[in-house]
């Protein structure tokens, strides 16, 4: 690879190339629209760099395979859409419980079930957070451009390795299939998985003994090496032996949540546009953030002080950033291609109880900038000053 | 020169509408270092239903990636033509394939050319999409012809006969529209 190269390509290609740049060398998946190009490109590109591609019999096996490959020391990923993510939830819990780094690409399409196979949606936000049972933290990133597909995929692998956790990259059909120029650059400063100190003797090893380390992340030597590595989806102790003691369960379940939430300042990524003087804040993500940016441009042309807070991290939720954005605003509008999954979170951090209005669309078409402008006009009709529109 | 273009390539699946959009977007962004975004719409079927690609070209950042105010609509098939014929604005250039489309009244500026015949004469009967791209390039000047030729060369790398036929199809479109 050159040090950098401009390509005009779809988001799905940038995701596959981002995974390779991040050092991913194992893919297992079952193709599904609108994510299939990721599998196609991974099948061609991984063997070129000494990696492995396997087409599995279904999504349950796909995530099982990437968990296994990751345990054996390879950065691993799979790509799917909502129906596949639904099937993956059980083993996602295994990855959470066993603290296995892996990346799950969800190119969202309209649901529930097989839904509208070729149409976009952003309806998997809450599934990513709570789809697998039991308390746990999770990381989910949402790109809104082809460049972000590349860059955030690299970030997803870094977070996954750093915090020993599965990470979602939540694209959507628009972003996955949209073509734009992007810069394919070498990934600098990649996170390497923490390994035991070389002085530690082989044999029995406490692979879950996070309390020994200041950052509360235990080293993870590869399965099959000199350290004995026990994976267990049932509650286990530091060495991976089944353990039903209540204090042990309490410690580990809180750890799964805390290792994400306590590092939220490192994980949360947002971008602000024209927020300095914004009376009206558009909070959005993924493809709908593009609609919000266009609405902001049109509203500013009319002299209205509209700003955009774009969420690139969905989980852990950007609570501080949203609270700060709403602090001086008269109202917030949340455009999203679902029926209010992010708007409900935004409302939780709305300390002054300003109006929070959803602009929602679930018909498989993008939210247009005009629909967002209509929502702003609706606020005007409710007595909030909004002169120009 | 006009800075921003909103262009729709429409027809049925299998006509190469995504390739036309892709070549145009790549020519503008990779070769000419301007901005381009392309999105597409198609059904679950592989062939034969309504398909389109939206291409936006600009010197600056492109926010919303779908066409809202078309400068040009290209229709290669009747079902696509019928969708647009009475909803376009007078400023829109409505370019259609007269071998497939029966013209109807439209507020848009209509230009119908026998693109299938032109492709066949160029020795590339499947390259109706590339003929259309040539016509579009000549009529709008939204991209340099050499940039499209460069992208064709990259796209058909290693397939010299197919490349030659597509270059001819592109030139046929350029020349006919230049008349």
């Amino acid at each position: 690879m050159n040090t950098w190269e401009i390509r005009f390509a779809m988001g799905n290609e940038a995701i596959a190339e981002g995974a390779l740049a991040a050092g991913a060398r194992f893919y297992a998946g079952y193709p599904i629209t609108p994510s299939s190009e990721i599998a196609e490109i991974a099948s061609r590109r991984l063997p070129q760099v000494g990696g492995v591609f396997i087409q599995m019999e279904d999504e349950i096996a796909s995530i099982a395979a990437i968990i296994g490959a990751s345990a054996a020391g390879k950065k691993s990923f799979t790509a799917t859409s909502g129906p596949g993510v639904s099937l993956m939830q059980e083993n996602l819990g295994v990855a959470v419980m066993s603290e296995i780094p892996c990346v799950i690409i969800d190119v969202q399409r309209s649901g529930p079930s097989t839904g509208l196979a070729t149409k976009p949606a952003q309806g998997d936000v809450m599934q990513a957070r709570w789809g697998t049972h039991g308390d746990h933290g999770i990381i989910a990133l949402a790109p809104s451009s082809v460049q972000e597909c590349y860059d955030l995929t690299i970030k997803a692998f870094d977070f996954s390795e750093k915090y020993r956790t599965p990470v979602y990259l939540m694209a959507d059909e628009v972003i996955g299939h949209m073509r734009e120029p992007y810069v394919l650059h070498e990934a600098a400063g990649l996170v390497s998985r923490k390994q035991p100190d070389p002085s530690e003797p082989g044999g029995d090893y406490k692979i879950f003994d996070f309390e020994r380390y200041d950052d509360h992340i235990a080293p993870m030597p590869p399965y099959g090496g000199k350290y004995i590595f026990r994976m267990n989806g049932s509650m286990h102790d530091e060495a991976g032996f089944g353990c039903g003691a209540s204090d042990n369960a309490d410690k580990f379940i809180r750890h799964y949540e805390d290792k994400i939430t306590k590092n939220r300042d490192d994980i949360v990524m947002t971008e602000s546009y024209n927020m300095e003087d914004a009376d009206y804040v558009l909070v959005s993500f993924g493809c709908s953030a593009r609609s919000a940016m266009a609405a902001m441009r049109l509203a500013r042309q009319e002299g209205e002080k509209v700003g955009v807070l774009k969420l690139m991290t969905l989980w852990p939720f950007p609570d501080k950033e949203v609270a700060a954005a709403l602090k001086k605003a008269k109202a917030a509008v949340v455009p999203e291609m679902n029926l209010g999954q992010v708007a409900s979170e935004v409302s939780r951090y709305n300390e002054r109880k300003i109006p929070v209005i959803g602009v929602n669309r679930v018909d498989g078409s993008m939210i247009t900038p005009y629909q967002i402008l209509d929502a702003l006009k609706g606020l005007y009709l409710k007595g909030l000053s909004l002169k120009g529109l | 020169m006009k800075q921003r273009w909103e262009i729709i390539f429409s027809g049925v699946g299998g006509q190469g509408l995504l390739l036309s959009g892709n070549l145009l977007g790549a020519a503008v962004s990779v070769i000419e270092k301007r901005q381009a975004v392309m999105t597409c719409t198609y059904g679950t079927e592989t062939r034969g239903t309504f398909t389109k690609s939206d291409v936006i070209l600009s010197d600056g950042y492109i926010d919303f990636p779908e066409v809202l105010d078309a400068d040009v609509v290209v229709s290669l098939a009747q079902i696509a033509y019928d969708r647009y014929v009475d909803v376009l604005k007078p400023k829109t250039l409505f370019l259609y394939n007269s071998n497939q489309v029966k013209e109807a009244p439209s507020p848009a500026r209509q230009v119908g050319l026998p693109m299938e015949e032109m492709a066949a004469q160029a020795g590339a009967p499947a390259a109706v999409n590339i003929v259309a791209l040539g016509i579009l390039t000549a009529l709008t000047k939204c991209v340099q012809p050499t940039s499209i030729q460069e992208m064709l060369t990259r796209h058909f790398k290693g397939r010299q006969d197919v490349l030659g036929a597509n270059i001819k199809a592109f030139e046929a479109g350029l020349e006919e529209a230049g008349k």
Side-chain angles (χ1 to χ4, degrees):
Chain A
M1 191 198 336
N2 299 326
T3 47
W4 62 272
E5 176 188 344
I6 297 176
R7 290 188 184 176
F8 183 74
M10 62 169 72
N12 281 347
E13 182 198 301
I15 289 169
E17 291 293 346
L20 263 73
R25 291 297 179 267
F26 185 90
Y27 179 101
Y30 186 81
I32 179 171
T33 303
S35 75
S36 300
E37 295 83 6
I38 300 171
E40 183 190 340
I41 294 163
S43 73
R44 190 169 68 238
R45 293 281 287 120
L46 274 169
Q48 294 172 354
V49 295
V52 172
F53 172 92
I54 309 180
Q55 179 166 330
M56 302 301 293
E57 66 268 37
D58 60 26
E59 290 86 347
I60 299 171
S62 301
I63 189 168
I66 67 166
I67 290 169
S70 179
K74 293 289 182 199
K75 290 186 181 177
S76 305
F77 71 122
T78 188
T80 187
S81 189
V85 181
S86 294
L87 287 172
M88 289 181 182
Q89 291 305 328
E90 183 182 8
N91 275 334
L92 186 94
V94 172
V96 168
M97 194 70 147
S98 312
E99 301 188 65
I100 304 291
C102 55
V103 172
I104 296 118
I105 316 286
D106 176 9
V107 187
Q108 296 169 86
R109 72 188 212 187
S110 176
S113 190
T114 35
L116 293 167
T118 62
K119 304 294 181 196
Q122 297 176 300
D124 302 354
V125 176
M126 284 297 171
Q127 181 189 43
R129 181 66 188 90
W130 302 112
T132 198
H133 56 281
D135 280 296
H136 62 283
I138 197 80
I139 298 173
L141 311 179
S144 65
S145 68
V146 173
Q147 187 68 54
E148 284 179 6
C149 284
Y150 185 78
D151 295 339
L152 294 187
T153 300
I154 295 170
K155 275 280 183 197
F157 279 95
D158 276 352
F159 289 147
S160 175
E161 296 293 331
K162 191 172 180 181
Y163 299 115
R164 275 189 66 176
T165 179
V167 174
Y168 281 105
L169 184 87
M170 313 228 357
D172 51 66
E173 190 278 338
V174 174
I175 301 300
H177 283 159
M178 181 172 74
R179 287 167 174 86
E180 271 184 324
Y182 81 103
V183 179
L184 194 146
H185 55 81
E186 279 177 16
L190 290 175
V191 175
S192 298
R193 194 175 297 178
K194 195 196 290 183
Q195 295 298 313
D197 190 280
S199 66
E200 291 209 41
D204 206 30
Y205 186 74
K206 291 186 172 176
I207 197 161
F208 301 110
D209 192 7
F210 66 89
E211 287 179 312
R212 267 182 71 193
Y213 302 89
D214 289 343
D215 63 358
H216 274 203
I217 303 297
M220 187 177 155
Y223 197 90
K226 72 172 186 172
Y227 299 97
I228 294 172
F229 179 158
R230 296 179 196 84
M231 267 177 68
N232 200 335
S234 291
M235 187 49 72
H236 49 70
D237 64 13
E238 291 81 0
F241 285 114
C243 177
S246 57
D247 57 343
N248 180 74
D250 187 76
K251 178 176 96 171
F252 274 103
I253 294 171
R254 289 181 190 281
H255 168 61
Y256 302 142
E257 174 85 22
D258 288 350
K259 71 175 179 178
I260 307 299
T261 52
K262 288 188 175 167
N263 289 301
R264 58 88 62 209
D265 287 350
D266 181 42
I267 301 165
V268 169
M269 292 174 287
T270 62
E271 280 179 359
S272 296
Y273 298 89
N274 288 328
M275 286 294 297
E276 301 74 19
D277 64 344
D279 289 334
Y280 301 90
V281 181
L282 310 178
V283 182
S284 197
F285 62 100
C287 69
S288 296
R290 305 289 288 248
S291 314
M293 292 294 285
M296 176 183 76
R297 171 173 52 82
L298 294 169
R300 287 264 165 189
Q301 283 170 8
E302 301 295 329
E304 291 303 337
K305 291 176 179 168
V306 174
V308 169
L309 177 69
K310 183 174 88 178
L311 312 181
M312 293 139 89
T313 302
L314 295 179
W315 305 113
F317 193 73
D319 48 3
K320 288 185 204 169
E321 291 75 7
V322 167
L326 269 52
K327 207 158 204 164
K328 287 184 291 180
K330 293 179 183 168
V333 176
V334 186
E336 51 186 327
M337 288 188 69
N338 60 53
L339 294 179
Q341 297 185 26
V342 164
S344 68
E345 288 298 302
V346 169
S347 298
R348 292 174 65 186
Y349 308 104
N350 176 14
E351 287 161 14
R352 289 168 40 243
K353 304 292 174 209
I354 61 172
V356 175
I357 311 293
V359 176
N360 310 101
R361 201 158 173 178
V362 289
D363 62 351
S365 297
M366 277 188 85
I367 295 166
T368 69
Y370 306 122
Q371 289 178 290
I372 299 169
L373 294 179
D374 283 346
L376 289 167
K377 285 178 202 164
L379 289 166
Y380 171 70
L381 294 175
K382 284 182 187 161
L384 281 120
S385 90
L386 195 79
K387 51 185 188 308
L389 291 169
Chain B
M1 198 179 114
K2 187 167 153 58
Q3 308 275 305
R4 183 185 166 93
W5 291 91
E6 299 199 8
I7 298 163
I8 295 173
F9 291 96
S10 66
V12 295
Q15 287 186 310
L17 301 152
L18 272 53
L19 178 60
S20 299
N22 201 0
L23 288 166
L24 177 57
V28 165
S29 60
V30 177
I31 309 291
E32 299 185 2
K33 306 285 187 275
R34 292 185 285 140
Q35 291 297 310
V37 175
M38 171 190 165
T39 53
C40 44
T41 299
Y42 49 84
T44 44
E45 307 84 353
T46 314
R47 299 278 185 274
T49 50
F50 176 75
T51 299
K52 70 164 175 138
S53 64
D54 287 15
V55 182
I56 301 175
L57 312 174
S58 175
D59 286 354
Y61 169 72
I62 300 166
D63 41 44
F64 192 68
E66 294 182 350
V67 169
L68 293 169
D69 187 17
D71 298 296
V72 186
V73 175
V74 179
S75 286
L76 299 187
Q78 189 74 48
I79 57 165
Y81 180 89
D82 292 345
R83 271 191 194 224
Y84 295 109
V85 67
D86 50 7
V87 297
L88 297 177
K89 294 178 184 170
K91 71 156 193 175
T92 306
L93 172 63
F94 194 15
L95 199 55
Y96 67 87
N97 168 21
S98 61
N99 294 121
Q100 287 280 338
V101 172
K102 193 165 171 281
E103 188 175 304
S106 171
R109 286 190 291 135
Q110 299 205 74
V111 177
L113 286 168
M115 299 180 193
E116 287 180 11
E117 270 176 51
M118 291 162 66
Q121 278 168 15
V128 180
N129 59 331
I130 305 299
V131 170
L133 192 53
I135 297 168
L136 173 93
T137 302
L139 292 181
T140 64
K141 300 185 171 47
C142 65
V143 62
Q144 296 290 329
T146 49
S147 305
I148 298 284
Q149 283 157 342
E150 171 63 21
M151 287 318 302
L152 280 168
T153 307
R154 293 187 192 186
H155 183 78
F156 293 110
K157 192 180 164 188
R159 295 158 68 195
Q160 215 52 41
D161 50 335
V162 185
L163 170 64
N166 276 276
I167 293 280
K168 278 187 186 167
F170 180 66
E171 286 170 351
L174 277 181
E175 283 165 22
E176 182 63 32
K179 281 178 186 170

